[in-house]
């Protein structure tokens, strides 16, 4: 499954000490973190969601969006190739688990070089003219847990269609720290990880619903088959196994990807992924929160089901609550390490726009004594 538009390319400009993104001009722009909504604002957002949900997409089109989901994402990447999303240099402050401790000095040097780069964010409601910046901060007091790799890996055998995938045969079998990104798009998470973490014991897997996206990853000059394995995979296909043994991964990353699938398929997708984690392994998620600006900007006729919408290009997006995500992860046998709402107020004074962004960030860990259901 491909990424869901959080970070497009676009022309970034420096103005007043901030990096801005606007296709035409510099404008006055301010942003505030951790904004609390008033009761009136929350009620207005709820009214807007009720309003844009009154007219639903017809059943025939809903079937089309599900059946041909791969086509819509392939078309997206054929049009934009690797020029739409920006590399996510904020990942290592929000998710330090992606850079194991032996690489911290290199990480800090690399981050100091990249400190002026700010990831960007696009409105997803089919209105391409509005591009805003997403500003991430390091909140070390709430992001302290490091996933722990087990020193000894058990021999695990798993059927993959007609193939036998064994712990000493699969790609990356000699690695001691393994990361999988689901919904990797064109590699805007994978390549910063490989660039930042030069530990030879690291191996990164990445998959996407779009074969076009995977082709772009493999064609990238930074792609190294000795350190990375990119493959096409449908997160919702319960009949297709991952080419990785169970309990072999330290980290699974889901960045703006779970929201792109049908809500009633989310639980099975997370449960299947959880089986790939080692005991003590972590699942990391960042995705759209309920009443995000993107949700409020959808028009009537774009709603598929409650809090689930289709964009103008046929790709889809869901807007979560913390409780919904907690239920998905804990039902899969994982335990909560972090589940927080990240609210941002962004003001474009040039256009007299006030934009409230809402994201949810989660970290859930597989217990060291894994539950039988995980």
């Amino acid at each position: 499954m491909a990424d869901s538009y959080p970070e497009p390319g676009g022309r970034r400009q420096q103005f007043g000490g901030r990096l801005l993104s606007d296709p035409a001009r510099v404008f006055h722009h301010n942003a505030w973190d951790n904004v609390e909504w008033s009761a009136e604002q929350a009620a207005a957002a709820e009214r807007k969601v009720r309003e844009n949900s009154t007219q639903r997409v017809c059943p025939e089109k809903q079937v089309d969006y599900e059946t041909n989901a791969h086509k819509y994402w392939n078309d997206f990447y054929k049009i934009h190739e690797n020029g739409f999303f920006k590399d996510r240099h904020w990942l290592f402050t929000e998710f330090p688990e992606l850079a194991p401790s032996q690489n911290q000095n290199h990480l800090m040097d690399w981050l100091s070089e990249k400190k002026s780069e700010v990831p960007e964010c696009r409105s997803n409601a089919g209105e391409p003219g509005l591009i805003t910046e997403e500003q991430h901060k390091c909140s070390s007091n709430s992001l302290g847990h490091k996933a722990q790799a087990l020193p000894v890996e058990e021999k695990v055998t798993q059927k993959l269609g007609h193939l036998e995938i064994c712990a000493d045969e699969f790609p990356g079998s000699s690695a001691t720290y393994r990361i999988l990104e689901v919904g990797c798009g064109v590699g805007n998470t994978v390549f910063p990880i490989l660039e930042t973490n030069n530990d030879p014991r690291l191996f990164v897997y990445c998959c996407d619903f779009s074969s076009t996206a995977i082709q772009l990853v493999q064609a990238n000059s930074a792609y190294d088959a000795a350190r990375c394995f990119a493959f096409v995979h449908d997160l919702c296909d319960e009949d297709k196994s991952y080419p990785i043994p169970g309990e072999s991964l330290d980290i699974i990353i889901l960045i703006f990807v779970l929201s792109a699938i049908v809500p009633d398929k989310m639980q099975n997708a997370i449960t299947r992924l959880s089986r790939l984690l080692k005991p003590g392994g972590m699942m990391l998620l960042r995705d759209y929160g309920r009443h995000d600006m993107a949700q409020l900007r959808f028009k009537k006729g774009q709603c598929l089901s409650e809090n689930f919408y289709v964009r103008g290009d046929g790709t889809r997006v869901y807007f979560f609550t913390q409780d919904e995500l907690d239920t998905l992860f804990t039902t899969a046998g994982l335990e909560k390490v972090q589940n927080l709402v990240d609210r941002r107020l962004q003001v474009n004074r040039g256009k007299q726009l006030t934009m409230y962004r809402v994201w949810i960030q989660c970290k859930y860990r597989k217990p060291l004594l894994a539950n039988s259901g995980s």
Side-chain angles (χ1 to χ4, degrees):
M1 191 68 61
D3 201 323
S4 300
Y5 294 2
E7 298 149 316
R11 195 169 75 189
R12 300 190 305 165
Q13 304 181 45
Q14 186 77 33
F15 186 81
R18 296 182 182 276
L19 279 171
L20 304 180
S21 180
D22 184 278
R25 67 185 190 280
V26 176
F27 51 80
H28 293 276
H29 182 106
N30 292 310
W32 290 266
D33 300 335
N34 302 317
V35 173
E36 293 295 330
W37 285 12
S38 68
E40 291 77 12
Q41 288 173 307
E46 185 61 40
R47 285 194 302 272
K48 182 62 178 176
V49 168
R50 285 198 301 268
E51 177 186 324
N52 69 22
S53 302
T54 54
Q55 182 181 340
R56 300 291 173 91
V57 174
C58 68
E60 293 80 8
K61 288 298 293 180
Q62 296 223 27
V63 171
D64 172 63
Y65 292 132
E66 175 66 8
T67 304
N68 296 310
H70 64 287
K71 175 185 179 298
Y72 291 114
W73 280 113
N74 279 335
D75 288 347
F76 171 84
Y77 285 110
K78 286 175 183 176
I79 293 170
H80 298 285
E81 295 187 339
N82 58 1
F84 191 80
F85 300 108
K86 289 293 182 183
D87 287 348
R88 295 158 171 161
H89 301 307
W90 51 266
L91 280 168
F92 307 104
T93 53
E94 298 295 338
F95 298 128
E97 296 83 0
L98 299 177
S101 57
Q102 63 265 30
N103 292 282
Q104 289 304 305
N105 290 337
H106 177 67
L107 170 64
M108 296 312 296
D109 292 341
W110 185 84
L111 285 176
S112 66
E113 296 173 3
K114 302 290 186 179
K115 63 185 177 180
S116 65
E117 300 189 27
V118 180
E120 300 166 350
C121 192
R122 169 189 165 183
S123 166
N124 335 76
E127 300 181 35
L130 177 61
I131 302 177
T132 61
E133 68 174 340
E134 178 180 353
Q135 296 180 317
H136 292 263
K137 64 180 185 304
C138 179
S139 47
S140 57
N141 60 335
S142 62
L143 304 178
H145 178 77
K146 291 282 196 302
Q148 300 177 1
L150 297 183
V152 179
E153 179 182 343
E154 298 180 5
K155 293 285 185 179
V156 181
T157 301
Q158 177 179 331
K159 287 285 188 180
L160 174 59
H162 64 283
L163 293 176
E164 193 86 7
I165 301 298
C166 300
D168 57 353
E169 296 175 355
F170 67 99
S173 56
S174 62
T176 58
Y177 199 84
R178 302 189 188 94
I179 296 172
L180 166 66
E181 185 191 11
V182 180
C184 64
V186 296
N188 301 98
T189 295
V190 169
F191 293 126
I193 291 174
L194 292 172
E195 180 184 353
T196 306
N197 191 335
N198 58 6
D199 190 333
R201 295 169 293 181
L202 170 74
F203 197 88
V204 179
Y205 306 87
C206 58
C207 64
D208 200 280
F209 192 36
S210 167
S211 58
T212 302
I214 294 301
Q215 290 168 7
L216 289 166
V217 170
Q218 294 172 338
N220 193 304
S221 60
Y223 184 75
D224 181 356
R227 305 184 65 212
C228 183
F229 178 58
F231 58 99
V232 178
H233 189 86
D234 181 354
L235 182 60
C236 300
D237 188 349
E238 298 181 25
D239 296 324
K240 185 177 180 182
S241 299
Y242 290 88
I244 309 164
E247 298 195 348
S248 62
L249 297 176
D250 296 276
I251 299 290
I252 295 175
I253 315 167
L254 298 135
I255 305 294
F256 298 100
V257 60
L258 192 62
S259 55
I261 70 175
V262 176
D264 62 11
K265 295 185 178 182
M266 292 177 181
Q267 185 63 70
N268 284 342
I270 294 297
T271 298
R272 291 177 69 242
L273 284 170
S274 72
R275 298 186 184 121
L276 300 177
L277 285 173
K278 295 176 181 178
M282 295 268 283
M283 203 173 294
L284 312 178
L285 173 141
R286 189 171 178 90
D287 220 320
Y288 297 104
R290 190 69 47 84
H291 300 160
D292 177 65
M293 172 193 73
Q295 182 177 17
L296 305 187
R297 290 172 64 86
F298 278 106
K299 308 300 182 185
K300 290 181 181 179
Q302 292 181 277
C303 184
L304 298 161
S305 61
E306 191 171 358
N307 302 302
F308 191 44
Y309 300 82
V310 63
R311 303 185 183 93
D313 61 7
T315 61
R316 298 169 295 177
V317 59
Y318 186 82
F319 297 87
F320 292 99
T321 65
Q322 289 173 278
D323 287 344
E324 287 173 337
L325 287 166
D326 185 69
T327 297
L328 288 172
F329 288 119
T330 56
T331 300
L334 306 179
E335 58 187 19
K336 181 172 70 174
V337 175
Q338 180 190 78
N339 184 328
L340 59 84
V341 175
D342 185 357
R343 298 181 186 271
R344 309 289 173 102
L345 169 62
Q346 298 173 329
V347 177
N348 179 337
R349 288 183 285 174
K351 294 184 178 181
Q352 296 185 330
L353 283 176
T354 299
M355 300 163 287
Y356 289 94
R357 302 313 312 253
V358 183
W359 298 287
I360 298 181
Q361 184 165 301
C362 294
K363 300 182 182 185
Y364 280 76
R365 176 176 52 210
K366 191 169 189 174
L368 289 174
L369 296 176
N371 295 331
S372 59
S374 66

